[in-house]
Protein backbone atom coordinates (compact mmCIF):
# COMPACT_ATOMS: atom_id res chain seq x y z
CA UNK A 1 0.00 0.00 0.00
CA UNK A 2 1.25 3.48 -0.80
CA UNK A 3 1.55 6.23 1.76
CA UNK A 4 -1.09 8.28 -0.05
CA UNK A 5 -3.52 5.35 0.06
CA UNK A 6 -2.83 4.93 3.79
CA UNK A 7 -3.67 8.61 4.33
CA UNK A 8 -6.88 8.18 2.37
CA UNK A 9 -7.86 5.16 4.50
CA UNK A 10 -7.02 7.16 7.62
CA UNK A 11 -9.25 10.02 6.50
CA UNK A 12 -12.10 7.58 5.82
CA UNK A 13 -11.51 5.98 9.23
CA UNK A 14 -11.80 9.43 10.81
CA UNK A 15 -15.08 10.09 9.01
CA UNK A 16 -16.41 6.73 10.24
CA UNK A 17 -15.36 7.76 13.75
CA UNK A 18 -17.49 10.88 13.38
CA UNK A 19 -20.39 8.69 12.24
CA UNK A 20 -20.19 6.39 15.24
CA UNK A 21 -19.65 9.19 17.73
CA UNK A 22 -22.74 11.00 16.47
CA UNK A 23 -24.54 7.67 16.21
CA UNK A 24 -24.10 7.14 19.94
CA UNK A 25 -26.48 10.03 20.55
CA UNK A 26 -29.16 8.34 18.41
CA UNK A 27 -28.81 4.92 20.07
CA UNK A 28 -30.36 6.24 23.31
CA UNK A 29 -27.96 4.15 25.35
CA UNK A 30 -28.14 1.27 22.84
CA UNK A 31 -31.88 0.89 23.42
CA UNK A 32 -32.79 1.69 19.79
CA UNK A 33 -31.88 -1.30 17.57
CA UNK A 34 -31.23 0.24 14.13
CA UNK A 35 -29.20 3.23 15.29
CA UNK A 36 -27.26 0.82 17.52
CA UNK A 37 -26.48 -1.53 14.62
CA UNK A 38 -25.40 1.40 12.43
CA UNK A 39 -23.21 2.81 15.20
CA UNK A 40 -21.47 -0.48 15.98
CA UNK A 41 -20.97 -1.06 12.24
CA UNK A 42 -19.37 2.37 11.84
CA UNK A 43 -17.12 1.57 14.81
CA UNK A 44 -15.98 -1.68 13.21
CA UNK A 45 -15.29 -0.05 9.85
CA UNK A 46 -13.47 2.85 11.51
CA UNK A 47 -11.17 0.55 13.49
CA UNK A 48 -10.54 -1.69 10.47
CA UNK A 49 -9.60 1.28 8.26
CA UNK A 50 -7.38 2.68 11.01
CA UNK A 51 -5.63 -0.68 11.38
CA UNK A 52 -5.02 -0.88 7.62
CA UNK A 53 -3.62 2.67 7.51
CA UNK A 54 -1.30 1.93 10.44
CA UNK A 55 0.41 -0.81 8.46
CA UNK A 56 2.13 2.10 6.63
CA UNK A 57 1.80 5.18 8.82
CA UNK A 58 3.46 5.70 12.22
CA UNK A 59 1.06 4.71 14.99
CA UNK A 60 1.43 7.98 16.91
CA UNK A 61 0.69 10.09 13.86
CA UNK A 62 -2.11 7.87 12.60
CA UNK A 63 -3.89 7.65 15.93
CA UNK A 64 -3.59 11.37 16.61
CA UNK A 65 -4.93 12.28 13.16
CA UNK A 66 -7.76 9.73 13.47
CA UNK A 67 -8.88 11.10 16.81
CA UNK A 68 -8.43 14.66 15.55
CA UNK A 69 -10.68 14.09 12.56
CA UNK A 70 -13.22 12.48 14.87
CA UNK A 71 -13.05 15.31 17.39
CA UNK A 72 -13.38 18.07 14.80
CA UNK A 73 -16.15 16.36 12.85
CA UNK A 74 -18.09 15.46 15.97
CA UNK A 75 -17.76 18.98 17.40
CA UNK A 76 -18.96 20.55 14.16
CA UNK A 77 -21.90 18.16 13.85
CA UNK A 78 -22.73 18.73 17.51
CA UNK A 79 -23.19 22.40 16.70
CA UNK A 80 -25.18 21.70 13.52
CA UNK A 81 -27.36 18.81 14.70
CA UNK A 82 -27.71 19.35 18.44
CA UNK A 83 -27.45 23.15 18.71
CA UNK A 84 -24.34 22.96 20.87
CA UNK A 85 -22.66 26.30 21.70
CA UNK A 86 -21.07 28.29 18.87
CA UNK A 87 -18.60 30.28 20.93
CA UNK A 88 -15.42 31.87 19.65
CA UNK A 89 -13.38 29.72 22.03
CA UNK A 90 -14.95 26.51 20.64
CA UNK A 91 -14.29 27.58 17.06
CA UNK A 92 -10.69 28.55 17.88
CA UNK A 93 -10.16 25.23 19.64
CA UNK A 94 -11.47 23.31 16.64
CA UNK A 95 -9.15 25.35 14.41
CA UNK A 96 -6.20 24.39 16.62
CA UNK A 97 -7.05 20.70 16.25
CA UNK A 98 -7.24 21.13 12.47
CA UNK A 99 -3.84 22.86 12.54
CA UNK A 100 -2.46 19.92 14.50
CA UNK A 101 -3.83 17.42 11.98
CA UNK A 102 -2.31 19.37 9.08
CA UNK A 103 0.98 19.70 10.95
CA UNK A 104 1.17 15.97 11.61
CA UNK A 105 0.45 15.26 7.95
CA UNK A 106 3.18 17.61 6.81
CA UNK A 107 5.66 16.32 9.40
CA UNK A 108 5.05 12.68 8.51
CA UNK A 109 7.38 12.76 5.53
CA UNK A 110 6.24 13.09 1.98
CA UNK A 111 4.33 16.27 2.86
CA UNK A 112 1.80 17.64 0.44
CA UNK A 113 -1.77 16.55 -0.11
CA UNK A 114 -2.82 12.95 0.28
Amino acid sequence: MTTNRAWLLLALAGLCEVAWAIGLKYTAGFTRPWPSVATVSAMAVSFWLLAKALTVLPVGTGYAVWTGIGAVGTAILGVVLFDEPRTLLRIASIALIVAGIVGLRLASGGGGAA
Side-chain angles (χ1 to χ4, degrees), residues 10-105:
L10 184 61
L12 293 172
L15 293 175
C16 288
E17 184 187 7
V18 173
W20 69 255
I22 293 297
L24 286 172
K25 184 81 167 174
Y26 292 102
T27 68
F30 290 104
T31 60
R32 298 180 61 213
W34 290 116
S36 297
V37 167
T39 298
V40 171
S41 297
M43 285 177 180
V45 171
S46 181
F47 282 112
W48 183 79
L49 289 168
L50 174 63
K52 296 301 270 183
L54 291 182
T55 63
V56 173
L57 302 175
V59 68
T61 299
Y63 183 76
V65 169
W66 178 68
T67 58
I69 292 168
V72 168
T74 303
I76 291 170
L77 286 179
V79 168
V80 172
L81 297 175
F82 307 121
D83 201 32
E84 293 177 359
R86 295 172 168 87
T87 65
L88 183 58
L89 182 57
R90 268 178 83 97
I91 293 166
S93 298
I94 291 169
L96 286 171
I97 296 169
V98 170
I101 292 168
V102 171
L104 285 170
R105 171 65 177 111

